[in-house]
Every structure is written in structure tokens, then in C-alpha cells.
Amino acid sequence: MTARRPTIDDVARLSGVARTTVSRVLNDGPNVRDEVRARVLEAVKALDYKVNPQARSLAGGGSRLLGLVFASDLESEPNSFYHSALELGALRGCLELGYQLVTRHIPLQSADREQQVYDLIATQRCEGLIFTPPYSDDGALIAEVLRRGCKVVSISPGGAGRGLADGVGMDDEAGGYDIARRLIDLGHRRFAFMGGIEGHLSADRRLDGLMRALSEAGLGQADLIQVRGDFTFRSGVELTPRLLDDPLHPTALVCANDDMAAGALSVVHGRGVKVPQDLSVTGFDDTPVSAIVWPPLTTVHQPLKDMGRRAVALLASRLTGGRAEAEPEFDCLDHAVVERGTAASAP
């Protein structure tokens, strides 16, 4: 004999609430007191209750399918951990709330990239889409998806994309400021910045934060050399020699993500430059690579898994939780400077 699987009614009985309240908690809906929400989640855990996505689909008439859209470059490898961390967080959110997830990498160079997005709605029957940068900055695309009746959550939206739909992210400008402020406090006055692809507004905001910190310290453009990479290890390798050979001779290299910083470190070691004695190097994201390079990388922690998970919760609340007509909201998650071994006092 096999044990009967717990039902939503079992959760309601154990937590002492109505069945509709359990449903509202599972869908991250509004109008639930914190103590009630906690009691329901404790009952879910105690019973090891699992949502049946097929049953929920039949009951609600929807596909229970969400789409996660990444931009990809046909000429370079993907920013693997950034993508996988967001996807893992979204998958965990889907598991908790009874949704399924389909992931699509749509090259920015594709002439039919918008149609590929629309096909997720028409062909795949996605009820909601999660856009990552730079698609999350594309106001026209987001507006058209919403017009077609599909819900949207944007990861780190900027520009025309900000405010059109629910969003989740961190304060990129503040992150850039905090890492630059730390380097300035260490005595650095000559900087290099390795940015991201053209039009990637969240990475550009990291540069804005750096510039704000420089301005407060009485520094400016003359104290900074800038290059654009594509967030890959390869671009870090290719661009670093230009920075090292520049007449400015920077003592601090600020990279817009960890993969480029790792590529930069490989070149710096090959040149015989000591890190952090001769040159401080910092990254952004706090991906696993930041802890395994040598020296371990000082970086800015971006809660990518939490972003993916929260994006699913926001979509669920739009679809079934009573927020269908609510004004768009933006959830700003906390970041932190993670000090390891690549930043020290200026030589």
C-alpha cells in the first residue's frame, strides 16, 4: 500500500485556515497576514505538500507555463552562471507555485527576434514571460507582449522598459558606487572600467555609480579609461592588454561582471603584474568563479537566484493572486560588496 498524497484541504486543516487562504499563500497573493502566511507554509513543509501543476492547469484553464527569455550573442559564449542562476531561481519558484518553465535564448542579431518572443505566447502558450537585459529595457516589446494578454516581469529593467511591467533587480548604480568607494578608500586614484555590451543599461548604471564615487573624490574622466566587453571571459582576455598599456597606468580595474574580471586576471598574471599589490581587480555578480580564481575575486553580490524566484512569484500574483490590474511594482533586492583577495591599498 502507498500513503495518500496530502491535498490542499489537508494543508488548510493543519494550518486552521480556509482552502482559499492556502491557495492565496501558494500564489503569493495579497491580503494575507504574515502570521497566517507563516502558519500555512509551516503546514506545507510538515505535510511535504506538492502542488500538482496538471490539476491546477485543468482547474484554472491556463497552461501554467512561464517563459524565461535571455539575449544571446551568436559570436560569443553565453554568460553561463548569470543565466543558470536566474533559471535555477525561476525553476524553484515554479516548483513551489505549480508552474512550468521554458527557457529561450534569442540572439539580439536575429531579424525575427520579436516574432520568436511572440511565438512563446501563440505557440508555446506561455501565460507570462520573464525578460532579462537588454530585452527588459525594450519598452516597445514589453508593451506589445502585454497587449497580447501575456503578463511580464522584467529583470533589472531600465530605460523605456522601466515601469511598464513588474520588475525585480538590485540598485546597479549603488553597486557600482559601493565598489568604487571601497577602492577610493584604499587610496586608488587611477581607474579602468570594463563595461558590457552597448545598450545593456544595468551595466551602464554600474558605470554611473563609479563616476559618482570618482566625482565625490574630486576625480573625473581624466582619471578613468573605459572599454566595452561582452560579459565573457574571452573579452576580458582580449581587452585587458589595452588597459595595462594605457599611459594612465590604472591601479584599479573595475569589471562589470565576474567572467570578464576572471579573464583580466589571467592576462595580468601572465604579464607578471601582482594582484593586489600592483593592481586591484574587482568584479560584479558574485558568481562561483569569483571564489575559485586566484586570488579570490572581490566583487558585488547580486542575488540572482532570488531575482528569478521573485520574478515567478510576481507573475503568479498577476495571474491568480488578485494583482491583475494593480500598478506595476519594482522589487529592489539587497546587494553587498564581497571582499576577498583582489583589492588592496594602491601602490
Side-chain angles (χ1 to χ4, degrees):
M1 296 180 62
T2 58
R4 181 179 68 87
R5 293 182 62 179
T7 68
I8 191 172
D9 295 308
D10 295 326
V11 175
R13 278 192 295 271
L14 182 59
S15 55
V17 301
R19 192 175 194 272
T20 54
T21 302
V22 175
S23 178
R24 193 175 295 121
V25 170
L26 293 176
N27 287 296
D28 198 32
N31 304 321
V32 180
R33 297 194 311 275
D34 290 342
E35 59 269 26
V36 173
R37 189 180 301 274
R39 199 160 70 239
V40 170
L41 293 177
E42 287 175 4
V44 167
K45 183 177 180 180
L47 293 170
D48 194 25
Y49 172 70
K50 299 291 191 301
V51 176
N52 185 328
Q54 288 77 23
R56 293 182 68 169
S57 176
L58 290 172
S63 67
R64 309 295 297 184
L65 185 64
L66 308 179
L68 177 59
V69 180
F70 291 112
S72 59
D73 185 341
L74 295 175
E75 301 301 320
S76 65
E77 71 270 21
N79 182 359
S80 56
F81 182 79
Y82 178 87
H83 293 169
S84 62
L86 284 174
E87 185 176 22
L88 180 58
L91 284 169
R92 287 175 177 171
C94 285
L95 180 63
E96 292 168 356
L97 298 176
Y99 288 87
Q100 298 183 64
L101 186 74
V102 58
T103 301
R104 286 289 182 272
H105 290 260
I106 302 178
L108 288 173
Q109 306 94 325
S110 297
D112 66 338
R113 58 184 179 273
E114 289 88 359
Q115 187 57 51
Q116 292 186 55
V117 172
Y118 305 148
D119 285 345
L120 287 170
I121 306 170
T123 304
Q124 297 288 331
R125 297 184 63 238
C126 287
E127 295 186 276
L129 295 180
I130 302 169
F131 285 128
T132 63
Y135 287 122
S136 56
D137 305 324
D138 190 334
L141 177 64
I142 293 170
E144 178 59 22
V145 169
L146 291 171
R147 189 191 70 79
R148 294 181 182 223
C150 185
K151 306 302 183 185
V152 172
V153 170
S154 297
I155 301 290
S156 303
R162 185 92 180 225
L164 288 180
D166 290 332
V168 60
M170 58 162 282
D171 188 334
D172 287 283
E173 195 274 348
Y177 174 86
D178 289 346
I179 196 71
R181 185 71 254 175
R182 177 60 185 141
L183 291 166
I184 290 169
D185 290 344
L186 288 169
H188 293 276
R189 296 296 182 269
R190 301 192 308 274
F191 287 80
F193 180 75
M194 190 178 295
I197 59 176
E198 190 78 36
H200 196 292
L201 299 184
S202 59
D204 290 345
R205 289 195 295 273
R206 296 166 195 174
L207 174 60
D208 293 339
L210 167 64
M211 295 306 301
R212 177 162 66 96
L214 294 183
S215 177
E216 289 181 2
L219 306 172
Q221 287 288 352
D223 307 293
L224 175 71
I225 177 175
Q226 303 175 45
V227 293
R228 276 197 182 276
D230 60 10
F231 299 114
T232 64
F233 179 92
R234 184 181 68 182
S235 66
V237 170
E238 292 174 347
L239 293 171
T240 299
R242 189 190 313 176
L243 301 175
L244 295 178
D245 296 337
D246 189 86
L248 179 65
H249 297 303
T251 63
L253 168 56
V254 179
C255 298
N257 81 335
D258 292 340
D259 285 359
M260 292 191 297
L265 282 174
S266 70
V267 173
V268 169
H269 292 324
R271 288 280 194 101
V273 177
K274 295 180 180 179
V275 178
Q277 294 90 339
D278 301 327
L279 177 71
S280 290
V281 179
T282 65
F284 209 102
D285 289 338
D286 192 23
T287 63
V289 71
S290 64
I292 61 177
V293 294
W294 185 258
L297 185 65
T298 294
T299 186
V300 176
H301 175 71
Q302 181 171 205
L304 295 170
K305 295 174 186 175
D306 291 341
M307 288 182 189
R309 192 173 190 168
R310 182 58 185 154
V312 169
L314 286 170
L315 281 178
S317 68
R318 284 284 175 187
L319 291 166
T320 59
R323 290 187 60 246
E325 305 302 325
E327 288 297 311
E329 68 177 59
F330 179 79
D331 279 4
C332 188
L333 306 185
D334 293 337
H335 69 276
V337 173
V338 181
E339 298 198 42
R340 294 193 177 103
T342 58
S345 298

